[in-house]
């Protein structure tokens, strides 16, 4: 029996549409539950004051600041190392055994569960290097976790620069490094930027790596230096939703909403940058 | 009088031999055309002359190429200096995604040893390629907004601002329409006064129109090298004759 091609087309469209709807329904439900329950908690006071009543009330200001501190510290560590490593691997490293091992390691590092990074960071940075539970320990742990991702996205960005640009530059007697510096990197910036920002969005929601390395239940003041312990949103959310009896649910959802907005904002910045550059890119 | 001498030159991509023992002497201030069927190694030979092939993995060479009396495959050679001396224009116009001015001044800006007045140099080279009048009021516009022909002129200007001795053209007109092709040909003809020009082309009329000497290649070998007139009217080799009479290729 032969089906009418128009009909089969319609049916397959319908099935694909249905599957897509099923895929996004959970996301919509999660977001709407969080928004519905969390929105009433969001006030200026909630965002700008310290917790009260054994964190059952008051605000989440120190956790917001702590999260930003960790993120900024991670960016400072991760961007130069990740980008330089990617440049080396892509532009200079030969194809020998060592670089193959490095590349393999990078791919595999990306698949390690984040809690393992947390334990690793605890034993190396907190205990062995005696950095203690601190912003710097947490940022180093997050950086190590995210480094493979940054390296890979940067390599992709470098590879997507047309080779005709490199050849044009080299043919003018411009050296390999100058070509990278003045031709390849500027053209790869959008890709590197979006990849980096997505990574930041990812690490800002991570709990496991900072669980033992940076985060604490409560600090009565803001961090003074990178060697202080901090309160951090994802951890704060975890603690308040599991370990604090009689915690008002409204506040828990409020924390979740703030975290969600933060991560979504960072991701959308990256999407906006990508759209902007795609519009203005001419090659 | 020969400023480019290729001696027993062979090139391999891994173990595939793309150029087989090429011997060629190229006269200065002259236009030399390289013709031959697709895949015969024209681009490979051209790209050996400024060592841009170095960037390709698996390339291995034998023999030597002398540019202005120096073997450029000597390990001690300054490759960047060589490339400043041997300019190149590619098949597809490939301006940088920068302004017209930044494109032309790119090479000088990065390596300005003799503190040349860059503004003047940009103007000069744009005039040399007859692009100045078109772009003098929009030097800060992105070069990728120009027409393809203008982009190719810009690429030529970008090469000649370095004051090279030799300019290599790899099918410079293959992405242009016939009128633009003719105008670029006219431009290349004027370059012969100051530069040694080597041009790879698929278009035999083009070779006949603009070159003085022609090299015919086939499967990595140089079959025949002679005055263009001779190649097209009375070739010595059977293979050359077959090719130019259109029996294959
Ligand atoms: N990067 C490379 N790796 C391996 N083989 C290559 C590479 N570049 C070219 N070749 C091979 O070398 C031979 C010569 O190529 P080349 O590009 O020089 O030919 P061509 O005469 O310029 O051809 P066309 O007229 O199509 O441009 C071809 O058989 C090609 O397949
Ligand atoms: Mg070619």
């Amino acid at each position: 029996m032969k089906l009418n091609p128009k009909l089969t087309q319609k049916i397959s469209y319908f099935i694909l549409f249905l599957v897509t709807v099923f895929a996004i329904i959970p996301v919509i439900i999660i977001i709407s539950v969080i928004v519905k329950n969390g929105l009433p908690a969001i006030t200026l006071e909630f965002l700008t004051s310290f917790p009260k009543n054994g964190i059952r009330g008051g605000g989440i200001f120190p956790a917001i600041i702590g999260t930003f501190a960790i993120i900024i510290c991670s960016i400072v560590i991760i961007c130069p190392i990740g980008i330089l490593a990617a440049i080396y691997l892509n532009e200079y490293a030969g194809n020998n055994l060592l670089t193959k091992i490095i590349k393999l390691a990078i791919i595999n590092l990306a698949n390690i569960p984040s809690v393992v990074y947390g334990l690793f960071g605890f034993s190396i940075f907190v205990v062995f290097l005696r950095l203690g539970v601190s912003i710097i320990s947490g940022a180093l742990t997050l950086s190590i976790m995210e480094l493979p991702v940054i390296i890979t996205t940067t390599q992709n960005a470098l590879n997507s620069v047309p080779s005709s640009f490199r050849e044009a530059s080299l043919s003018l007697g411009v050296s390999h490094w100058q070509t990278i510096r003045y031709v390849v990197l500027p053209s790869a910036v959008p890709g590197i930027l979006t990849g980096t920002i997505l990574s930041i969005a990812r690490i800002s929601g991570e709990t496991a790596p900072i669980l033992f390395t940076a985060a604490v239940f409560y600090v009565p003041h803001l961090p003074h230096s990178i060697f202080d312990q901090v309160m951090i949103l994802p951890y704060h959310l975890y603690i308040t939703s599991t370990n604090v009896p009689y915690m008002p649910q409204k506040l828990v959802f409020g924390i979740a909403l703030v975290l969600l907005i933060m991560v979504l904002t960072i991701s959308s910045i990256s999407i906006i940058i990508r759209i902007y550059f795609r519009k203005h890119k001419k090659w | 009088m020969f400023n480019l001498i290729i001696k027993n030159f062979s090139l391999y991509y891994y173990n595939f031999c793309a150029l087989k023992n090429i011997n060629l002497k190229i006269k200065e201030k002259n236009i030399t055309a390289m013709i031959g069927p697709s895949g015969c190694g024209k681009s490979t030979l051209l790209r050996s002359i400024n060592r841009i092939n170095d960037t390709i993995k698996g390339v291995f060479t034998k023999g030597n190429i002398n540019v202005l009396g120096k073997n450029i495959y000597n390990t001690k050679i300054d490759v960047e200096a060589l490339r400043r001396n041997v300019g190149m224009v590619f098949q597809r116009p490939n301006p940088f995604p920068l302004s017209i001015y930044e494109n032309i001044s790119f090479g000088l800006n990065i390596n300005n040893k003799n503190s040349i007045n860059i503004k003047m140099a940009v103007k000069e080279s744009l005039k040399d390629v007859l692009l100045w009048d078109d772009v003098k009021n929009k030097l800060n516009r992105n070069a990728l907004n120009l027409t393809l022909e203008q982009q190719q002129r810009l690429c030529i200007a970008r090469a000649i601002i370095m004051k090279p001795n030799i300019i290599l053209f790899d099918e410079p007109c293959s992405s242009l329409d016939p009128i633009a092709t003719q105008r670029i040909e006219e431009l290349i003809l004027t370059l012969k006064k100051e530069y040694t020009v080597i041009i790879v082309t698929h278009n035999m009329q083009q070779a006949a129109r603009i070159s003085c000497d022609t090299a015919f290649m086939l499967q990595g070998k140089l079959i025949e090298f002679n005055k263009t007139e001779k190649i097209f009217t009375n070739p010595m080799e059977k293979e050359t004759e077959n090719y130019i009479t259109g029996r294959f290729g």
Side-chain angles (χ1 to χ4, degrees):
Chain A
M1 183 190 77
K2 223 171 177 181
L3 282 174
N4 175 351
K6 276 234 172 83
L7 189 65
T8 45
Q9 164 130 326
K10 271 201 181 130
I11 293 174
S12 41
Y13 271 154
F14 184 70
I15 292 174
L16 291 174
F17 175 74
L18 223 58
V19 171
T20 315
V21 169
F22 275 123
I24 55 175
I25 279 180
V27 180
I28 293 173
I29 293 178
I30 291 172
I31 292 183
S32 41
V33 167
I34 292 178
V35 170
K36 181 172 163 287
N37 294 306
L39 208 52
I42 309 275
T43 58
L44 192 62
E45 205 216 331
F46 182 67
L47 297 175
T48 59
S49 67
F50 275 70
K52 283 187 208 119
N53 314 331
I55 73 175
R56 282 186 198 85
I60 54 169
F61 184 58
I64 294 177
I65 295 297
T67 306
F68 274 111
I70 289 249
I71 292 177
I72 289 168
C73 203
S74 307
I75 295 174
V76 170
I77 298 169
I78 209 175
C79 284
I81 298 179
I83 292 170
L84 292 179
I87 292 175
Y88 172 75
L89 286 174
N90 223 46
E91 308 283 339
Y92 288 100
N95 213 6
N96 54 30
L97 190 65
L98 181 68
T99 52
K100 275 187 195 141
I101 292 173
I102 293 178
K103 282 175 189 173
L104 202 68
I106 288 173
I107 294 169
N108 284 312
L109 278 175
N111 296 325
I112 294 178
S114 56
V115 68
V116 176
Y117 283 101
L119 286 169
F120 171 80
F122 177 74
S123 55
I124 296 291
F125 303 122
V126 177
V127 178
F128 182 70
L129 293 178
R130 294 167 197 234
L131 294 171
V133 172
S134 61
I135 295 177
I136 184 74
S137 294
L140 284 168
T141 310
L142 286 173
S143 301
I144 288 189
M145 185 184 83
E146 207 55 22
L147 212 49
V149 181
I150 296 264
I151 291 178
T152 314
T153 50
T154 306
Q155 277 191 297
N156 290 343
L158 293 173
N159 278 329
S160 69
V161 177
S163 63
S164 64
F165 290 176
R166 292 166 201 263
E167 292 194 336
S169 170
L170 292 173
S171 77
L172 293 169
V174 173
S175 71
H176 187 178
W177 166 247
Q178 289 167 327
T179 299
I180 294 170
R181 167 73 188 74
Y182 295 106
V183 177
V184 179
L185 277 182
S187 308
V189 160
I192 296 175
L193 215 56
T194 48
T196 311
I197 295 175
L198 278 182
S199 282
I200 293 164
R202 221 173 74 103
I203 61 178
S204 57
E206 278 287 349
T207 317
I210 45 135
L211 193 58
F212 324 110
T213 54
V216 286
F217 186 72
Y218 177 67
V219 196
H221 56 79
L222 295 178
H224 300 304
S225 79
I226 55 170
F227 299 105
D228 279 4
Q229 350 181 284
V230 277
M231 294 174 69
I232 298 166
L233 279 176
Y235 183 67
H236 195 54
L237 178 60
Y238 166 69
I239 287 289
T240 49
S241 57
T242 57
N243 289 10
V244 182
Y246 311 114
M247 180 76 199
Q249 283 307 298
K250 188 178 90 168
L251 292 191
V252 178
F253 277 103
I255 300 168
L257 183 58
V258 171
L259 187 58
L260 188 74
I261 290 173
M262 222 167 94
V263 174
L264 288 184
T265 311
I266 299 174
S267 312
S268 17
I269 291 174
S270 126
I271 292 167
I272 290 167
I273 291 177
R274 187 155 23 184
I275 293 173
Y276 174 84
F277 278 109
R278 198 167 287 162
K279 245 196 215 148
H280 290 75
K281 172 161 123 172
K282 296 228 170 53
W283 70 85
Chain B
M1 103 160 219
F2 297 112
N3 57 359
L4 175 63
I5 300 174
I6 300 174
K7 260 193 256 167
N8 302 332
F9 188 77
S10 302
L11 185 145
Y12 297 80
Y13 292 111
Y14 294 99
N15 49 15
F16 169 71
C17 185
L19 294 176
K20 296 171 187 152
N21 205 28
I22 306 280
N23 282 287
L24 195 60
K25 287 181 178 179
I26 286 175
K27 282 198 215 96
E28 65 178 346
K29 310 224 166 137
N30 199 347
I31 299 181
T32 304
M34 289 188 192
I35 58 170
S38 204
C40 69
K42 307 178 295 289
S43 300
T44 303
L45 182 58
L46 203 68
R47 293 163 56 89
S48 303
I49 300 171
N50 65 350
R51 287 191 52 177
I52 199 98
N53 270 340
D54 288 13
T55 55
I56 294 173
K57 260 195 208 145
V59 168
F60 165 75
T61 63
K62 274 200 294 208
N64 56 42
I65 295 182
N66 282 332
V67 173
L68 304 172
K70 269 198 224 144
N71 176 15
I72 60 166
Y73 280 88
N74 189 319
T75 44
K76 289 194 200 94
I77 193 95
D78 175 354
V79 179
E80 276 99 49
L82 164 75
R83 292 190 185 136
R84 263 169 262 144
N85 222 338
V86 183
M88 185 162 214
V89 176
F90 297 81
Q91 192 161 351
R92 277 202 67 78
N94 57 354
F96 301 118
L98 301 171
S99 74
I100 296 171
Y101 184 86
E102 288 166 317
N103 260 283
I104 310 273
S105 59
F106 190 82
L108 276 188
N109 255 337
I110 287 183
N111 285 313
N112 197 356
K113 297 234 166 75
N114 334 334
S115 58
I116 298 166
N117 181 339
I118 294 185
K119 266 201 182 128
M120 284 301 294
V122 168
K123 185 173 170 184
E124 291 260 310
S125 56
L126 279 171
K127 278 189 164 164
D128 286 348
V129 300
L130 308 177
L131 197 55
W132 175 250
D133 289 329
D134 291 357
V135 303
K136 64 183 172 198
N137 296 322
K138 46 180 183 180
L139 290 174
N140 292 322
R141 291 262 203 88
N142 193 311
L144 294 161
N145 290 328
L146 297 171
T147 66
L148 275 182
E149 181 197 340
Q150 289 173 325
Q151 289 186 20
Q152 196 61 306
R153 282 179 192 273
L154 176 119
C155 292
I156 297 172
R158 186 175 65 184
I160 65 179
I161 199 172
M162 305 304 291
K163 299 274 166 238
N165 255 280
I166 302 171
I167 307 181
L168 312 170
F169 289 86
D170 193 351
E171 301 189 41
C173 303
S174 63
S175 48
L176 304 179
D177 64 56
I179 295 171
T181 298
Q182 193 196 340
R183 290 204 294 241
I184 295 285
E185 279 179 17
E186 282 162 11
L187 169 60
I188 293 175
L189 271 172
T190 66
L191 294 177
K192 159 170 119 162
K193 280 198 285 289
E194 284 181 68
Y195 308 95
T196 306
V197 172
I198 306 175
I199 178 170
V200 165
T201 175
H202 254 129
N203 177 335
M204 281 185 276
Q205 285 81 25
Q206 182 170 68
R209 278 192 299 263
I210 66 176
S211 70
C212 310
D213 295 325
T214 296
F216 170 65
M217 295 179 64
L218 191 62
Q219 295 182 348
K221 278 186 269 196
L222 178 67
I223 302 295
E224 187 169 352
F225 178 56
N226 216 327
K227 289 256 162 274
T228 301
E229 219 187 279
K230 195 94 171 33
I231 293 266
F232 283 98
T233 54
N234 187 15
M236 316 257 276
E237 306 290 332
K238 192 78 198 142
E239 285 131 317
T240 317
E241 190 181 332
N242 286 344
Y243 182 70
I244 59 162
T245 54
R247 242 164 271 168
F248 70 89

